[in-house]
Amino acid sequence: MELRNNQYVIDGVPVTAIAEKYGSPLYIYESARMISQYQRMTGAFKDARVRIHYACKALTNINVLRLFCRLGAGLDAVSMQEVRLGLKAGFNPQDILYTPNCVSIEEIEEAVETGVRINIDNISILEEFGIKHGKEVPVCIRINPHIMAGSNHKISTGHIDSKFGISIYQMPHVHRIVETNGMIVEGIHMHSGSDILDVEVFLRGAEILFETAQSFRDLQYVDFGSGFKVAYRVDDVATDIEALGEHLTRRFNQFCQDYGRDLTLLFEPGKFLVSEAGYFVARVNVVKQTTSTVFAGVDSGMNHFIRPMFYDAYHEIINVSKPEGKTRIYAVVGYICETDTFGWNRKITEISAGDYLLFKNAGAYCFAMSSNYNSRYRPAEVMVHRGKDYLIRRREEMEDLTRNQVEADLGFADVDTKD
Ligand SMILES: *Cc1c(COP(=O)(O)O)cnc(C)c1O
């Protein structure tokens, strides 16, 4: 998005025009940004045999999946439903890595049927899987390296208390299971959490992964997960992907030499690929002056955009209806009947009822986490591709709220006002 002739435009299309056309609230995605983030990543690792798997839980619209499929990405799926969406979008099963956590063995068996690659993060499942499939179905093993990265406990997954992965201290047990069943371990994986990637800490984690990987002799790939940081505030530090590419490529190629074979270096970013490509637009219903602050209340809430309330996430807010002019300080809030704040103390150009506010970094974990709370419809989604806007999901309607409700034959004839 850029400011051009006093208008905010996404790939040349004015944001307010898109909002007028499709209504609000609305999610808008910029394909050019997804493409450039993907290319930035492959570029940073151009000297390694790298594969990028899009972690689709960030944003599962089928058009987004198709775009990454066309770009040559693979897919990281955490549920059977994501596997199905990926297959529907055209991914080859062998380019999908299924990485579940705490799912039943039945769901894992279902995934095996579809031919996707299987990532196992639990000893008991590994054992059951090995007894059943032996060498017939290769597996990837997710390890827990026991490193604490980042400070947000809700989104870090590689620390000692984490439910993810098999502890590196349990590797002797893993080897026992693998050897006894003649299993083939084709990949080794770690993912230490979201939005935490500091190059130094990451390289230390990588050493643990390399050390563990040495003891598995059938590897084809080493998967470093994700955790890439993107900037939410103007002065935020994002992961220096080029620096990481340079250091890790050198180290990885060295590892391949020591290992005795060329392996594939795998990453599975979600946020890095789509966060900055997404924008959320809502319309101001009321501007309310109280004794302590000025509220701008919009036609949406945490039901559509939960990250500020859920993770204390900061999302920049811009009044796209008034690109220039004097700013005032606002609390931007939603219409949900409980505390529902998008941002406190935000300097925004003067807001009037009817203005469109735009929230940045709304590509990852925004629509994907939306709900029908307060019985509201979920928003529409639009993709701007090569200067043209496309509707990629219709706004919900009343029928969507009632579709699965059953008006059962209860009658309640036995209930009356005296009860
Ligand atoms: C969520 C997740 C990712 C993606 O994380 P981002 O921070 O969005 O890049 C990658 N791998 C696994 C296993 C995940 O659960």
Side-chain angles (χ1 to χ4, degrees):
M1 187 177 73
E2 56 178 339
L3 189 55
R4 194 191 292 168
N5 305 328
N6 201 25
Q7 245 186 352
Y8 281 100
V9 294
I10 294 174
D11 201 355
V13 189
V15 175
T16 49
I18 301 174
E20 289 293 336
K21 181 169 171 186
Y22 300 98
S24 75
L26 183 69
Y27 278 98
I28 307 173
Y29 309 115
E30 189 175 16
S31 67
R33 192 62 191 259
M34 295 179 185
I35 296 168
S36 64
Q37 287 296 94
Y38 179 79
Q39 288 172 344
R40 215 183 127 196
M41 212 152 177
T42 50
F45 289 91
K46 62 183 185 314
D47 296 326
R49 197 158 91 183
V50 73
R51 286 278 295 159
I52 310 296
H53 281 184
Y54 169 51
C56 70
K57 74 175 187 285
L59 176 61
T60 42
N61 190 290
I62 191 125
N63 302 278
V64 175
L65 267 52
R66 287 208 171 111
L67 173 62
F68 285 115
C69 188
R70 282 291 298 176
L71 285 168
L75 201 71
D76 181 70
V78 293
S79 70
M80 233 359 255
Q81 290 76 5
E82 285 187 358
V83 166
R84 295 234 162 74
L85 282 169
L87 293 171
K88 189 173 158 67
F91 285 92
N92 179 323
Q94 284 294 290
D95 290 330
I96 299 178
L97 180 63
Y98 170 62
T99 302
N101 172 257
C102 290
V103 306
S104 65
I105 188 83
E106 288 79 17
E107 183 172 317
I108 294 177
E109 290 302 331
E110 233 186 291
V112 171
E113 289 295 305
T114 65
V116 300
R117 296 182 193 267
I118 311 288
N119 195 357
I120 291 182
D121 93 330
N122 184 329
I123 289 258
S124 68
I125 295 278
L126 182 72
E127 196 163 357
E128 218 176 321
F129 195 93
I131 288 169
K132 172 140 196 225
H133 297 288
K135 65 175 181 347
E136 299 305 320
V137 185
V139 293
C140 174
I141 288 178
R142 177 174 188 172
I143 66 157
N144 181 341
H146 300 301
I147 47 170
M148 180 65 202
S151 54
N152 191 334
H153 230 73
K154 278 191 189 164
I155 56 175
S156 41
T157 61
H159 56 84
I160 189 103
D161 292 332
S162 169
K163 66 171 181 148
F164 297 99
I166 299 175
S167 166
I168 40 170
Y169 304 114
Q170 289 176 299
M171 284 307 121
H173 193 180
V174 167
H175 280 292
R176 190 158 296 135
I177 293 168
V178 166
E179 278 151 34
T180 309
N181 295 310
M183 298 174 80
I184 295 170
V185 177
E186 63 169 7
I188 190 110
H189 168 275
M190 79 174 183
H191 168 64
S192 25
S194 283
D195 213 35
I196 53 173
L197 205 151
D198 168 72
V199 173
E200 289 293 312
V201 177
F202 189 88
L203 290 171
R204 256 184 283 141
E207 289 306 321
I208 298 172
L209 196 61
F210 287 137
E211 200 180 312
T212 311
Q214 268 298 354
S215 61
F216 292 94
R217 297 316 302 169
D218 302 319
L219 293 183
Q220 291 179 27
Y221 55 91
V222 181
D223 186 337
F224 291 88
S226 179
F228 299 100
K229 247 192 221 172
V230 300
Y232 284 80
R233 298 171 196 254
V234 181
D235 52 359
D236 267 355
V237 182
T239 300
D240 186 344
I241 197 100
E242 285 74 22
L244 181 70
E246 192 188 323
H247 288 102
L248 189 61
T249 295
R250 198 179 316 128
R251 184 62 188 91
F252 182 76
N253 290 341
Q254 178 63 47
F255 169 77
C256 291
Q257 258 189 11
D258 300 344
Y259 189 80
R261 193 144 45 81
D262 272 349
L263 303 180
T264 300
L265 192 168
L266 237 142
F267 277 115
E268 43 192 43
K271 186 177 281 178
F272 182 84
L273 295 177
V274 299
S275 173
E276 294 157 312
Y279 306 91
F280 181 60
V281 179
R283 194 164 173 266
V284 177
N285 281 335
V286 292
V287 178
K288 180 172 180 175
Q289 169 87 58
T290 67
T291 42
S292 61
T293 188
V294 185
F295 288 101
V298 300
D299 62 352
S300 178
M302 62 177 176
N303 51 328
H304 296 153
F305 192 91
I306 203 174
R307 298 191 78 260
M309 292 305 295
F310 195 25
Y311 300 119
D312 293 326
Y314 179 96
H315 289 262
E316 203 184 321
I317 305 171
I318 297 171
N319 183 354
V320 285
S321 297
K322 209 165 295 153
E324 272 151 27
K326 78 171 164 58
T327 58
R328 292 190 68 192
I329 294 170
Y330 295 94
V332 177
V333 295
Y335 56 21
I336 292 294
C337 295
E338 59 186 277
T339 305
D340 184 13
T341 310
F342 289 115
W344 280 106
N345 299 337
R346 298 301 184 86
K347 266 195 228 162
I348 302 172
T349 53
E350 191 154 22
I351 298 175
S352 316
D355 284 355
Y356 290 110
L357 300 188
L358 174 140
F359 301 72
K360 291 179 78 171
N361 286 82
Y365 309 109
C366 289
F367 186 91
M369 286 189 169
S370 65
S371 77
N372 291 116
Y373 187 42
N374 278 207
S375 294
R376 297 286 183 179
Y377 307 139
R378 275 183 296 179
E381 296 182 292
V382 166
M383 181 179 277
V384 181
H385 179 65
R386 308 236 192 272
K388 193 167 164 345
D389 50 282
Y390 299 82
L391 183 67
I392 59 172
R393 184 191 298 265
R394 276 189 295 277
R395 184 179 307 286
E396 287 181 341
E397 298 173 347
M398 194 59 202
E399 191 184 297
D400 296 301
L401 297 183
T402 54
R403 181 179 302 128
N404 294 325
Q405 297 202 40
V406 179
E407 294 195 59
D409 192 17
L410 283 155
F412 297 122
D414 54 340
V415 178
D416 60 37
T417 55
K418 289 194 294 299
D419 267 354

